[in-house]
Amino acid sequence: QKEDYGRIAAQTAKQVIIQKIREAERISIMDEYGTKEGEIISGIAQKVERGNVYVDFNRATGILLIEEQIPVEFFQKGQRIRAYLYNVEDSPRGINLRLSRAHPKFIEKLFAVEAPEIQNGVVEIKSIAREPGARSKIAVFSKDEHIDAVGSCVGQKGTRVNTITQ
């Protein structure tokens, strides 16, 4: 009778410890990815299920829904994927990282990486129109009349645009 109580108490203590570890892990992941919302993050395709791609980010898993993908793209398991993190939600089944490659902000962030003028605010993106997989158009503007806003985004012989397109 005495040993039985010890076993039950040990099991309860074990459950409480595991629960606390999971909670701490969840808070840690929220802290890490909550600040990355609205940015481009890179991960590896874990599995492709009915067109939806599950992307592994070491400690968390993101989902790239079929409607958030570019129609002409297909992903395989193990492939590296860069996508726009548009939503981090804390659900009872874990933290869901919602990804998109079709979001207009994806183009904006790619241009910010490629064109330092956009990154430091000299050139600003006014508007983006996009048909994912077909074409994208962005309207750019600069307050500084010495800077060619369109030229800085296109790059020499279209190098910046080609890099983004690829």
Side-chain angles (χ1 to χ4, degrees):
Q1 195 79 359
K2 211 64 154 155
E3 292 107 37
D4 207 25
Y5 175 76
R7 183 183 58 80
I8 292 168
Q11 250 178 346
T12 306
K14 179 184 170 188
Q15 290 300 322
V16 169
I17 291 167
I18 288 170
Q19 184 67 33
K20 292 288 182 194
I21 290 170
R22 282 196 188 121
E23 230 169 82
E25 176 95 341
R26 187 185 206 121
I27 289 167
S28 168
I29 291 169
M30 271 307 277
D31 287 348
E32 185 179 338
Y33 289 99
T35 58
K36 290 183 180 178
E37 194 170 314
E39 288 182 22
I40 291 176
I41 58 174
S42 184
I44 293 166
Q46 199 173 43
K47 66 179 177 180
V48 181
E49 201 173 85
R50 282 190 251 114
N52 298 330
V53 182
Y54 293 87
V55 185
D56 182 44
F57 298 104
N58 293 330
R59 298 175 55 221
T61 303
I63 184 166
L64 180 60
L65 297 172
I66 195 162
E67 57 266 18
E68 292 294 343
Q69 293 174 29
I70 297 169
V72 294
E73 285 183 328
F74 296 98
F75 299 102
Q76 277 116 24
K77 186 179 174 186
Q79 186 177 345
R80 191 158 241 352
I81 296 176
R82 288 177 77 197
Y84 177 74
L85 178 64
Y86 69 90
N87 189 359
V88 179
E89 59 183 24
D90 196 353
S91 70
R93 290 193 301 152
I95 291 164
N96 292 328
L97 303 179
R98 300 274 183 199
L99 305 168
S100 174
R101 286 181 58 84
H103 202 286
K105 289 267 186 195
F106 183 56
I107 294 288
E108 188 177 313
K109 294 295 176 181
L110 285 174
F111 267 102
V113 168
E114 206 55 44
E117 295 86 347
I118 291 175
Q119 184 88 45
N120 59 32
V122 177
V123 173
E124 61 180 279
I125 296 175
K126 289 287 187 183
S127 175
I128 299 173
R130 186 166 184 219
E131 288 173 41
R135 65 174 163 226
S136 298
K137 292 189 177 240
I138 67 169
V140 290
F141 172 77
S142 178
K143 289 185 180 110
D144 188 341
E145 69 262 7
H146 301 297
I147 289 179
D148 174 17
V150 175
S152 68
C153 292
V154 173
Q156 290 177 315
K157 295 182 183 171
T159 51
R160 288 180 178 174
V161 168
N162 288 337
T163 305
I164 290 166
T165 304
Q166 288 165 357

